Amino acid sequence: DNSSVLENLALLESARGNNQDALDLASRLVDLDPKVGKSHIIQGRAQGALDNRNAMLGDLLIGQALTSGEEIAPLQARSEAEKFGPKSDILNQYRESGEPEEIRSYSDTGGSKYQIWFYWTRGRAYCFQDGKQLYQKQFAKVVPAEEMSEDGDDASPGGE
């Protein structure tokens, strides 16, 4: 399938030292299915090879949160955000964008705790530590399954 091909090509280009090509392929891999944590990890490693430190850390956090993070009910977004005070980045995000479609909590080996808020249908993720935004990411929008017809075409009116 396409994801396996892109994954292998990204890893190959990385091994060959073609870091920009590896990042381009990894970005395409993420856009195929943004909910796959491994793809974000591959993208993060490609970012690191290009010395894009903030992007590397953000992509790795997103990937780790998706693969091994703990789910938090999106209905808890407001109460989670309010823990950090009225001027926190996380509460501002809640005020601007509303409830995320998915929240993942992740703790690294050093004990630092992160929350990643996903707005899949908008193609956005936001990483927070102690209420402060560390990283935001854009990727292909995820179309909810009920908006797709059985043959995979957009089922919106006039979409023939």
Side-chain angles (χ1 to χ4, degrees), residues 6 9-15 17-28 42-43 45-47 49-50:
L6 281 173
L9 285 172
L11 295 172
L12 175 66
E13 291 303 323
S14 179
N18 297 331
N19 298 324
Q20 186 59 55
D21 290 340
L23 178 58
D24 293 344
L25 290 162
S27 298
R28 288 175 49 200
I42 292 169
Q43 188 178 33
R45 289 180 181 150
Q47 294 281 16
L50 291 167

Side-chain angles (χ1 to χ4, degrees), residues 3 8 60 64 128 138 143 148:
S3 61
N8 288 325
L60 292 175
Q64 292 296 336
F128 301 96
Q138 187 171 345
V143 178
M148 297 291 283

Side-chain angles (χ1 to χ4, degrees), residues 52-67:
N52 299 333
R53 184 166 166 69
N54 191 47
M56 174 192 75
L57 293 173
D59 290 342
L60 292 175
L61 275 176
I62 290 169
Q64 292 296 336
L66 287 170
T67 57

Side-chain angles (χ1 to χ4, degrees), residues 31-92:
D31 284 344
L32 272 181
D33 187 354
K35 293 185 176 187
V36 176
K38 183 179 181 183
S39 301
H40 293 275
I41 292 170
I42 292 169
Q43 188 178 33
R45 289 180 181 150
Q47 294 281 16
L50 291 167
D51 291 325
N52 299 333
R53 184 166 166 69
N54 191 47
M56 174 192 75
L57 293 173
D59 290 342
L60 292 175
L61 275 176
I62 290 169
Q64 292 296 336
L66 287 170
T67 57
S68 61
E70 179 183 323
E71 284 192 60
I72 297 174
L75 289 173
Q76 295 179 11
R78 185 184 184 113
S79 63
E80 287 290 319
E82 288 175 339
K83 291 177 186 177
F84 300 103
K87 294 186 178 182
S88 65
D89 293 344
I90 197 168
L91 188 56
N92 286 337

Side-chain angles (χ1 to χ4, degrees), residues 34-35 74 77 90-103 116-126 128 137-142:
K35 293 185 176 187
I90 197 168
L91 188 56
N92 286 337
Q93 180 62 43
Y94 179 80
R95 288 181 186 133
E96 288 175 20
S97 300
E99 188 178 288
E101 294 157 314
E102 184 174 354
I103 301 173
I116 295 85
W117 287 20
F118 296 95
Y119 296 86
W120 297 115
T121 57
R122 298 178 198 168
R124 303 250 184 222
Y126 300 87
F128 301 96
K137 181 174 186 170
Q138 187 171 345
F139 43 78
K141 296 175 183 177
V142 176

